[in-house]
Amino acid sequence: MAAKVEVPFTKQMRDVTREIHNISDTLINAKLGIAMSNDRVWAEGLLIFYEVFQYLEGALERHSHSLIGELDIPGIRRTEAFEKDLSYYLGADWKKDYTPRESVCQYLKHLEKLENENPYLLMAYIYHLYMGLLSGGQILRRKKVLLQKLRFSRKDTLEGMAVTEITDGSVSKIKKQMTEAMNHIAGEIDEDIRQKLLEESKVVFILNNKIVHSIEGAGAIVTVKLIKLGVFGALTVLLFTYLRKLLTG
């Protein structure tokens, strides 16, 4: 009799999150679907996930000598790319007036709680978020390229899309390494932690949905910048109106 083939842990992670994952995909498509033609929406999308990825990369550093470190695949880190893109859209001093919104703060508090209680549970976030960015990011990147062509743009580069650019190896290679690392780790941890990772995988998408729900088309920083631009524009109009009256008597 043939031996029973054990289901890979990463497939178990996908299976238990299938329903909530589909809901999340629908929400993200609805919220960020216009992001390719609306820089404000894209910038706000970057803002809500920037803090989360930054925290996870800090955790990879803090636990580099544990099994968690196996998920730190070369070329996967995105914090610098997020900051590069945010500087492109919001200006080099974007951090000056920046405060994470409440839903993002709640997300970070949950990650801190997990790290304090059982750092291994952070692997649910590391795996799902990076795999999602690797897959979804490439789709958005291709849409941006197509949009530039439709606009007959002469640009050879995708400015403001560094977060979707993979320079250290191919996307498929990194995804394969991430999957292999997660499955290897699952074989090294006990059943209790595996089950908790599966349960936490669902929470990943619940929290993602909460912060994505907060996207309205213009985040706190973007809104402030638009207000500043609006005030400047209004003052300019008033100045020209005043000068015209002086010249025409």
Side-chain angles (χ1 to χ4, degrees):
M1 180 181 292
K4 183 179 179 180
V5 178
E6 186 177 350
V7 178
F9 188 68
T10 51
K11 185 179 187 305
Q12 295 179 50
M13 294 175 81
R14 291 196 300 272
D15 288 344
V16 298
T17 60
R18 192 178 306 281
E19 184 176 348
I20 185 66
H21 195 166
N22 290 338
I23 293 172
S24 184
D25 281 349
T26 301
L27 174 62
I28 289 175
N29 287 337
K31 288 285 186 176
L32 298 183
I34 61 173
M36 292 300 91
S37 58
N38 188 324
D39 287 348
R40 288 179 296 166
V41 176
W42 179 246
E44 192 174 357
L46 291 172
L47 273 176
I48 62 172
F49 281 106
Y50 164 69
E51 295 283 351
V52 178
F53 277 86
Q54 184 183 48
Y55 186 93
L56 293 176
E57 289 177 11
L60 286 172
E61 287 282 355
R62 291 188 290 274
H63 304 283
S64 61
H65 297 298
S66 71
L67 287 171
I68 297 173
E70 292 188 24
L71 293 177
D72 195 6
I73 310 299
I76 203 172
R77 297 202 184 191
R78 300 284 91 191
T79 297
E80 288 186 7
F82 268 101
E83 293 177 345
K84 180 179 179 180
D85 286 344
L86 287 167
S87 292
Y88 172 78
Y89 290 112
L90 306 177
D93 62 344
W94 68 271
K95 288 186 179 181
K96 183 179 179 181
D97 301 315
Y98 169 60
T99 301
R101 65 194 65 191
E102 181 59 27
S103 58
V104 175
C105 289
Q106 291 301 319
Y107 199 135
L108 297 177
K109 286 180 182 178
H110 182 71
L111 295 180
E112 290 173 358
K113 181 174 182 291
L114 290 182
E115 186 171 8
N116 289 331
E117 296 177 355
N118 189 340
Y120 280 170
L121 297 185
L122 290 176
M123 292 189 294
Y125 295 83
I126 296 169
Y127 179 78
H128 286 297
L129 283 171
Y130 283 93
M131 290 294 278
L133 181 58
L134 286 167
S135 299
Q138 295 310 299
I139 293 173
L140 291 173
R141 191 173 182 84
R142 288 193 290 271
K143 286 183 178 180
K144 189 72 170 180
V145 170
L146 178 60
L147 187 62
Q148 283 192 177
K149 290 181 179 178
L150 291 174
R151 289 176 173 175
F152 301 101
S153 173
R154 296 181 179 179
K155 292 181 180 179
D156 294 324
T157 59
L158 287 178
E159 296 176 312
M161 294 287 288
V163 75
T164 67
E165 183 179 359
I166 303 298
T167 56
D168 299 332
S170 68
V171 172
S172 59
K173 179 182 178 182
I174 292 176
K175 289 171 66 175
K176 183 174 183 291
Q177 291 176 314
M178 175 70 80
T179 300
E180 290 175 346
M182 190 69 247
N183 285 327
H184 174 260
I185 292 169
E188 298 294 318
I189 56 180
D190 60 41
E191 180 62 21
D192 179 61
I193 296 179
R194 283 195 292 271
Q195 288 304 313
K196 287 180 179 178
L197 273 171
L198 292 177
E199 289 303 312
E200 198 62 38
S201 289
K202 302 173 187 177
V203 182
V204 173
F205 294 98
I206 292 172
L207 292 177
N208 286 350
N209 291 350
K210 284 184 178 180
I211 60 175
V212 171
H213 263 301
S214 70
I215 297 176
E216 298 178 356
I221 296 178
V222 182
T223 301
V224 169
K225 288 181 177 291
L226 287 176
I227 290 173
K228 289 179 180 179
L229 288 172
V231 170
F232 177 76
L235 290 174
T236 302
V237 171
L238 288 173
L239 177 60
F240 274 103
T241 301
Y242 176 70
L243 289 174
R244 186 174 62 183
K245 286 183 178 180
L246 285 178
L247 293 173
T248 58

